[in-house]
Amino acid sequence: MRFQIEPLGAWTDPETPDRTRAFFRAGWAHTVELLSREVGWLGADLVVMQADVAEDARRRRDGMLLANACVRQHPGVVISFSSDHGPLRYATDQFTAWQDNVRGIALSLAALRAVDRYGVTRRAEQYVGFRALPAAVAEFGTADDAARWMREQARPHAKDADTSTPRQLYRFLARRWHPDAGGAGAEWERLDQARRLLEEAHLL
């Protein structure tokens, strides 16, 4: 399973007024394994995870969040992916730790899959309420969020390429993700959102 980590931006889902501490015994590695398995059952191969953590709180080898990454302001997590049932989106800020919110989503996916066990659902009805808006996976909060996301996407691939400015970053990613070059539609749409924000801020 591939994971794409993005900034959380503004929290647009219902806010939990009194967040609680979770008492999950499983560690972060087990949570990632559970999440990978559940989204894999749904036909996904790329998971977009949005969390409010610092840019340096990622593993160098694959960009995944470190288990001990600290939240900056908001512990909420949004997880989105394309599935056999269309684009799905899950968000929660139920718990005080972002890691527990990721596990809460993974356990919810497992519970939803269990509904199929007794033949009550035959057309994946349990996923209808979680379908994402078709426009894109998520909106950026600011031009800075867009530029930060572009840097994160370019970092594993840029190597010797000059990507020191937003304009160079955009051109590098546009070459990789343009539909004529075989790029992914969701990534191209996300890049177009970033371009519009950066243009409005006169950074492109």
Side-chain angles (χ1 to χ4, degrees):
M1 187 60 58
R2 295 181 298 133
F3 286 90
Q4 179 174 309
I5 309 303
E6 298 187 1
L8 180 64
W11 183 257
T12 58
D13 290 271
E15 191 95 19
T16 300
D18 298 309
R19 299 187 185 98
T20 59
R21 177 187 173 191
F23 292 94
F24 299 133
R25 294 184 178 181
W28 176 238
H30 189 274
T31 293
V32 174
E33 179 183 351
L34 174 64
L35 180 61
S36 299
R37 183 169 63 248
E38 292 303 324
V39 298
W41 277 111
L42 292 169
D45 60 4
L46 173 66
V47 176
V48 177
M49 183 184 302
Q50 293 174 264
D52 187 17
V53 298
E55 287 187 55
D56 59 359
R58 291 151 172 76
R59 299 190 303 217
R60 288 192 175 185
R61 68 175 185 272
D62 59 5
M64 185 47 154
L65 290 174
L66 294 169
N68 61 351
C70 295
V71 70
R72 290 189 294 191
Q73 291 184 341
H74 199 287
V77 171
V78 179
I79 290 178
S80 309
F81 53 91
S82 296
S83 74
D84 294 338
H85 314 297
L88 299 177
R89 179 185 183 277
Y90 298 85
T92 183
D93 68 337
Q94 177 73 30
F95 303 114
T96 54
W98 67 267
Q99 300 92 329
D100 292 332
N101 286 320
V102 173
R103 185 160 189 83
I105 291 174
L107 290 170
S108 296
L109 288 169
L112 288 169
R113 183 167 59 84
V115 174
D116 288 333
R117 187 173 301 161
Y118 304 107
V120 177
T121 60
R122 298 187 182 276
R123 295 183 299 277
E125 295 93 335
Q126 70 268 43
Y127 299 109
V128 172
F130 296 99
R131 285 181 183 158
L133 295 175
V137 171
E139 295 290 338
F140 295 110
T142 65
D144 286 340
D145 289 338
R148 185 182 306 113
W149 172 80
M150 289 168 60
R151 287 194 297 271
E152 291 170 355
Q153 303 314 303
R155 187 179 297 121
H157 311 288
K159 296 183 180 179
D160 298 329
D162 188 355
T163 56
S164 57
T165 68
R167 183 182 299 276
Q168 291 165 328
L169 271 172
Y170 173 77
R171 288 177 174 173
F172 175 80
L173 293 172
R175 285 194 296 270
R176 286 183 56 85
W177 290 342
H178 195 282
D180 291 345
E187 290 169 337
W188 177 253
E189 291 177 5
R190 192 92 167 104
L191 182 62
D192 193 53
Q193 288 182 9
R195 176 189 61 78
R196 292 196 297 269
L197 265 179
L198 292 169
E199 285 180 344
E200 290 174 3
H202 304 291
L203 296 175
L204 277 185

